Amino acid sequence: MAKTDTFYFEGLDDILIAPMATEDNVGVAPTYGEIVRLPIATAIEISGNGSTLEKWASSKIFRRVSRETKHEIGLDHVGIPVDVMDELKGVVSKSGVVFGKTGAREYPYFAFGFIGNVEGGGKKAVWYPKTQISNVVSESYKTAEEETSIDDVTADFVAVGLKNNNVMYASFDSYRLGSSLELFEKFITQPVYDEEQWTTLSTPAIGGGE
């Protein structure tokens, strides 16, 4: 495959959600619960908070340093299961009822991922290992009409970097050099949050080759 080869993005596939079982800390990697794979996405919009600092010296740009610390993710979907949404919000139902309170609290963290289909049978996948649901609520409900329609619903997430290694996301593309569809399958088996972890995960088992 030459550097000039271009492959177009065909469309979204499934999304991936894995609750964070134990949080990351300085020198401590996170752990995650079971991955929930959902075929519900209709669109995903990602907005970063990138900023650039310029340092001038001798009337010239000496350094131009860029940084990004947060991604806001807008997921348009046809419906997230109620139990999954409750877990993302950190609420527990009592006989079918949950209560929203005004006190300050921290929402649970989880890993969010999504899969995309690329021209020619290729795959793209992204993991955000530290994500929270946004506390800004924007919901609308409409009356039913004569013609049936299935409207999209939007869920807003915020992804930040891990404390132990500053990783905000890991991005896989099966058309990158050294990649393969077999590695894609390994990439989506668990949230990928560290280069060393991915090296271990992607290395064939001794005597088991691929």
Side-chain angles (χ1 to χ4, degrees), residues 1-52:
M1 185 175 61
K3 289 184 177 180
T4 54
D5 291 340
T6 302
F7 301 92
Y8 65 86
F9 186 80
E10 291 183 334
L12 277 173
D13 201 322
D14 299 341
I15 67 164
L16 309 165
I17 294 174
M20 187 179 283
T22 59
E23 288 191 28
D24 62 302
N25 212 324
V26 178
V28 179
T31 63
Y32 299 91
E34 182 180 357
I35 293 174
V36 178
R37 182 168 176 169
L38 300 171
I40 61 170
T42 59
I44 291 178
E45 292 188 7
I46 299 171
S47 177
N49 69 338
S51 61
T52 301

Side-chain angles (χ1 to χ4, degrees), residues 71-106:
H71 276 181
E72 295 180 353
I73 304 168
L75 168 67
D76 292 343
H77 60 92
V78 295
I80 295 176
V82 173
D83 288 345
V84 175
M85 183 59 79
D86 284 351
E87 188 172 12
L88 299 186
K89 292 181 177 180
V91 296
V92 178
S93 66
K94 303 292 185 181
S95 300
V97 177
V98 296
F99 296 89
K101 299 181 179 180
T102 59
R105 70 187 185 94
E106 186 175 29

